Amino acid sequence: MKKFAKYPTHIAFIMDGNRRWAKRRGLTKYVGHEKGAERLVDIIKILSEIPEIKYASFFAFSTENWNREKKEVDAIFKLVTYMFENHEKEFKDINIKFVCMGDIKRFPTEMQEIIIKAVEESKNNTGLTVNLALNYGGRADIVNAVNKLIKNGAQSVTEEDISKNLYSYPAPDIDLLIRTSGEQRVSNFMLYQLAYSEFYFPKIHWPSFNKRQLNKALKIYSKRNRRFGGN
Ligand code: FPP
């Protein structure tokens, strides 16, 4: 059922505030990340039911997240692995196509294998494309694209060349970026793809972000007047 006059084709999320959500409730940060991972699965399912939305990108692990204590990093890795293993059938049934953005070579071998398998086995699915940013940085994404072009013999590059060599290709530029927890920063996420995006910064922490919140964001987006630098 179409509720709004327009929808983003590509929606992106910086899932922020897991630890603050937990701290406020007297829970450990691990529980915060666990709830965050559950929310991610919920939001993927909800988005898959909105046919106008074709691509969803999520910032799951940044290149800066390695600076956290090893125990926390390992806990996030476990959640990524768990998500793919335990929701495999569910994701398949709703026709999700997974794309991994970032350099996964630094991850534990088993985790790499699980990610590669999820991407490989879903590559012909025709539903929502989920771009999962894992060990991802927006500047590195651009540098990587340019280096690929140079390797293929390019003497100079166009904007379109770069777009076509980003991790998220063939997803178009992002229409709507949502960063939860009230922080109003891009934090090196998909810099090239965000050039003309609408931004929405709800105060709520990621583990509390639900269908109602998503609908609110979509409603706000549907009322935005996008001019792309024109009139
Ligand atoms: C931000 O909250 C969240 C992260 C750094 C990682 C995102 C991880 C998840 C949603 C869970 C696992 C991921 C997958 C793909 C299953 P924060 O830790 O920065 O919290 P804070 O801003 O309150 O400190």
Side-chain angles (χ1 to χ4, degrees), residues 4 6 8 24 35 40-41 50 69 73 84 87 91 109 117 122 145 153 169 171 190 197 215 217 231:
F4 305 115
K6 67 173 180 195
R24 191 175 282 180
K35 293 289 167 201
L40 170 60
V41 175
I50 307 174
E69 61 168 337
V73 169
F84 282 126
H87 296 277
F91 288 143
T109 315
K117 184 169 168 264
S122 69
Y169 184 76
M190 300 182 83
S197 307
N215 268 316
N231 288 316

Side-chain angles (χ1 to χ4, degrees), residues 14-20 29-30 32-33 59-77 106 179 181 183 185 187:
I14 299 180
M15 306 180 281
D16 200 7
N18 290 350
R19 295 185 297 190
R20 276 167 285 169
K29 56 190 169 194
Y30 307 106
H33 290 314
F59 209 174
F61 194 85
S62 76
T63 42
E64 287 69 41
N65 287 149
W66 291 104
N67 299 327
R68 298 191 179 195
E69 61 168 337
K70 188 173 180 304
K71 220 176 134 191
E72 183 178 352
V73 169
D74 286 344
I76 295 176
F77 291 173
R106 210 178 144 186
R179 180 177 187 147
S181 90
E183 308 296 345
R185 289 189 290 276
S187 300

Side-chain angles (χ1 to χ4, degrees), residues 42 80 102 150 165 172 204 209 223:
D42 290 348
V80 174
I150 292 171
N165 283 278
I204 202 155
F209 192 84
K223 292 183 176 160

Side-chain angles (χ1 to χ4, degrees), residues 7-13 52-57 101 129 131 136 141-142 158-177 189-199 221 226 228:
Y7 285 84
T9 303
H10 186 177
I11 190 167
F13 296 85
E52 292 85 358
I53 300 178
K54 312 277 186 214
Y55 301 90
S57 298
M101 305 192 290
T129 296
N131 299 316
Y136 176 87
D141 194 359
I142 299 166
T158 64
E159 290 186 6
E160 197 190 346
D161 290 335
I162 295 179
S163 288
K164 285 187 169 167
N165 283 278
L166 296 170
Y167 284 118
S168 56
Y169 184 76
D173 282 352
I174 294 164
D175 300 297
L176 172 64
L177 172 76
F189 185 54
M190 300 182 83
L191 300 175
Y192 204 84
Q193 300 91 324
L194 284 170
Y196 285 101
S197 307
E198 294 295 323
F199 288 6
Y221 173 82
R226 302 183 74 197
F228 298 96

Side-chain angles (χ1 to χ4, degrees), residues 5-158:
K6 67 173 180 195
Y7 285 84
T9 303
H10 186 177
I11 190 167
F13 296 85
I14 299 180
M15 306 180 281
D16 200 7
N18 290 350
R19 295 185 297 190
R20 276 167 285 169
W21 179 91
K23 198 171 176 192
R24 191 175 282 180
R25 287 162 179 78
L27 302 166
T28 66
K29 56 190 169 194
Y30 307 106
V31 177
H33 290 314
E34 235 173 83
K35 293 289 167 201
E38 284 172 18
R39 277 299 158 203
L40 170 60
V41 175
D42 290 348
I43 295 295
I44 291 175
K45 285 194 219 161
I46 297 165
L47 291 172
S48 75
E49 290 169 7
I50 307 174
E52 292 85 358
I53 300 178
K54 312 277 186 214
Y55 301 90
S57 298
F58 296 89
F59 209 174
F61 194 85
S62 76
T63 42
E64 287 69 41
N65 287 149
W66 291 104
N67 299 327
R68 298 191 179 195
E69 61 168 337
K70 188 173 180 304
K71 220 176 134 191
E72 183 178 352
V73 169
D74 286 344
I76 295 176
F77 291 173
K78 269 210 182 104
L79 287 169
V80 174
T81 308
Y82 179 90
M83 179 184 84
F84 282 126
E85 285 189 324
N86 286 271
H87 296 277
E88 195 185 348
K89 185 171 179 310
E90 228 172 327
F91 288 143
K92 196 176 169 204
D93 289 346
I94 57 171
N95 210 6
I96 302 292
K97 173 178 172 163
F98 281 103
V99 171
C100 175
M101 305 192 290
D103 182 7
I104 63 166
K105 287 193 289 291
R106 210 178 144 186
F107 291 136
T109 315
E110 196 206 345
M111 181 180 169
Q112 288 183 42
E113 286 168 2
I114 284 163
I115 296 166
I116 292 167
K117 184 169 168 264
V119 169
E120 186 55 32
E121 289 184 354
S122 69
K123 71 174 185 217
N124 295 320
N125 290 354
T126 52
L128 178 76
T129 296
V130 172
N131 299 316
L132 204 58
L134 289 163
N135 193 22
Y136 176 87
R139 287 183 175 173
D141 194 359
I142 299 166
V143 170
N144 186 53
V146 173
N147 279 330
K148 267 201 270 177
L149 289 158
I150 292 171
K151 220 172 154 186
N152 291 331
Q155 299 289 319
S156 65
V157 299
T158 64

